[in-house]
Every structure is written in C-alpha cells, then in structure tokens.
Amino acid sequence: MPQRNPILITGAAGAVGGVSRAMVDMLLEQGHPVRAFVRQDDERAAALRQAGAEVFVGDLLDIADVTAALKGCRRIYFSMSLSPYYTDAVGLMAAAARAQGDIEVFVNISEYEQSFMTFEKMTASEEERRAWLGVLITQWSPQQRAHWVAERMLEWSCLPTVNIRAAMFVENPLMTWLALGPLSEGELRLPFGPHRLAPIAGYDVADLCVKILADPEPHISKSYELNGPELKDMHGFAEDFSAVLGRPVTYVPVEVETWNETYIDSADALAAVPHTVEHLKTLTRLMGGGGYRGVTDQLETLLGRPPKTVRWALRNHPLIQKLASA
C-alpha cells in the first residue's frame, strides 16, 4: 500500500548515477507522496514539481532547514554529493530524526569499500594494509572516511538504519566523462591493469532503495554489499563500449599515477573540488592495485530480478548516448 506520509529524498536534483531523481519517479509511479530536498530552486526543482513531488528548497547543513524538511516524514533516503561536510550533514539529519522521534527507516547510501575498509583493516600495520587493500594504497580517501564515520553515527543514533554499500557506479566519472576523449578515438584508457570489476547501474540502486522505503521492516539494521552482475576485466568493458558506440574500442592500460595526473589533475571541472579529486584518485589506486575482490549476489536476491548490465547502463547514459550519435 502507498505510504501516506511523504518520503523524504535528499540529493533529488543530483545527476551522478541519477539515483535520487530516479527514486522520486519510481515512488511517485507507485503512489507514494515524495518530498524532494534540493539546494536550489532551479529548472531541476521545477521538473520535480512537474513530476508530482513536493519540493523543499534548503541546506543540508542548516539544522532548521533539515528539521523543517523532515516534518511529517517517517521514511528517509539520505544522499549528498561528495563533500568535506558530508558527515556534518548526516549528523544533522540524524539529530533531526531523533528529535522527531517517529522515524520508520533511514536509508543511508554508502559505498562498497565500507565492507572491507574496516576499523580492523585500517588500523593494522602498513604492510598488512597494503596486502589487503592492494599494493598502491594504505589509507581512505576523505569521502570514504566520511562514510565510515557516518555509518558509526547512525549506528550510535539507534535510528532504524539500512546501509546501502554500492560498488562503483557504471555512471562514475572514471567510466564516463573522464573517459570521453579517448573513447572518441576508439580507446578505453584506464589505470586498472588486468583487474576485474563489477560496477553497478544507478538504476538498480534506485530500484532497491525504493523497495526498502516501501517496505522497510525486513531490512532494518542491515548493511547490503552490492555489486553489478558482471565481473570482467577492462577488455570486457571495452567490448561493452564498442557495442554501445557502434565502433571498435580497445582497452589501453595506463599507469595509475600517470592517469591521475593526465585525467583528474588536469580536469578543469575538478580544479575547485580537491575533496572529490582525492576520492577519485583513491578509487583508481584501489582498483589499479587489486583492492576490489569478488562479488556478492545480494543485489539480484533483493531485487528479485537480474540486475542491469554495464551495456544497459552505458546505453542509458546521456554522455555516452551523445558520443554514440556523434
């Protein structure tokens, strides 16, 4: 049955993976009222209103805004763009939720790394950390640290929390807009060597979060480690790009720090966001050093259907669509 109280969705105007925006559409289609929390009242907010959502314009770092946005809501999906103030925002939402006192579920978008960058692993000796995480890295990125602290805060808050620890999205900049230049020349240049990955489609994360928000009881106090359905090396991903773009694409491995300098440090769009830069560099070092191992079948079990493939996600990504039609 549709939820009577509005479901609060933060990050509703975001674009990475399109998770929050996709969730708004899915929930509305199922008859659930939605309150979409956005930072600016712009064309994206107007599109949310047109879709049928109630739009709340505010600041996730302002406790008055957060408290006002939460009023009348009993189910929360929390997401925020990469930010040095991420844990502040989670803490404020948790404080407002505890003060309100009638929260049924707090769905917290986290990351797959939290399943293996644990307290025990990250406080071991440097040699042990390198052996576990991969030869190129021994520490979290600031954003990974923020997610770890956020999970602890929610645990201590005693709120009815569900952590969604999703693997790297197919829509991640590493696989999409940072790769566009080489892709236009028929090359997939990435620093992941021979290692295999199983990235996840943002659509599937949205679908699962909607299922949890619609029926939270079976999921309370659980953390889900979610991969995509296909574990493959970069040659396999090159085949996916080739199929979607309609022309041959060849994988060209690049040394990790060379790639970071060429594609991340030189990206004008990232110059003003060092927090994001450090997170992306940490991801390349983890993946390039073999820090991701194995997959789980939790996503298919929870969805009750096969997850979307990499090829499906690429076909539905606006930047890849534009490149395919060029």
Side-chain angles (χ1 to χ4, degrees), residues 61-74:
L61 296 173
D62 185 323
I63 188 61
D65 285 353
V66 173
T67 301
L70 188 56
K71 187 175 182 180
C73 299
R74 301 182 69 183

Side-chain angles (χ1 to χ4, degrees), residues 58-183:
D59 185 351
L60 285 171
L61 296 173
D62 185 323
I63 188 61
D65 285 353
V66 173
T67 301
L70 188 56
K71 187 175 182 180
C73 299
R74 301 182 69 183
R75 302 181 186 186
I76 307 164
Y77 169 79
F78 184 88
S79 176
M80 183 183 184
S81 300
L82 303 185
S83 169
Y85 303 107
Y86 192 91
T87 51
D88 301 60
V90 175
L92 292 175
M93 184 64 74
R98 277 181 56 88
Q100 183 166 298
D102 59 356
I103 302 303
E104 295 176 339
V105 66
F106 189 123
V107 178
N108 173 49
I109 190 70
S110 190
E111 55 186 11
Y112 187 73
E113 297 95 282
Q114 297 306 316
S115 66
F116 60 83
M117 297 180 84
T118 63
F119 179 85
E120 290 76 18
K121 297 296 183 185
M122 299 309 293
T123 56
S125 69
E126 181 172 336
E127 182 179 358
E128 289 179 274
R129 294 200 303 276
R130 288 190 185 278
W132 179 253
L133 298 175
V135 296
L136 302 177
I137 186 169
T138 62
Q139 288 296 337
W140 284 303
S141 74
Q143 185 66 28
Q144 288 164 334
R145 183 170 61 244
H147 278 292
W148 191 89
V149 174
E151 286 198 18
R152 301 292 77 72
M153 287 194 300
L154 290 170
E155 177 185 334
W156 300 331
S157 75
C158 297
L159 290 167
T161 301
V162 184
N163 293 310
I164 304 299
R165 296 171 174 172
M168 182 181 75
F169 288 4
V170 179
E171 299 87 350
N172 188 289
L174 299 176
M175 297 280 287
T176 53
W177 67 268
L178 286 173
L180 291 177
L183 283 171

Side-chain angles (χ1 to χ4, degrees), residues 197-199 227-232 237 240 295 308-312:
L197 303 172
N227 306 97
E230 303 168 294
L231 183 64
K232 60 176 73 177
F237 289 120
D240 289 329
V295 296
K308 302 296 185 183
T309 64
V310 169
R311 201 166 293 190
W312 182 93

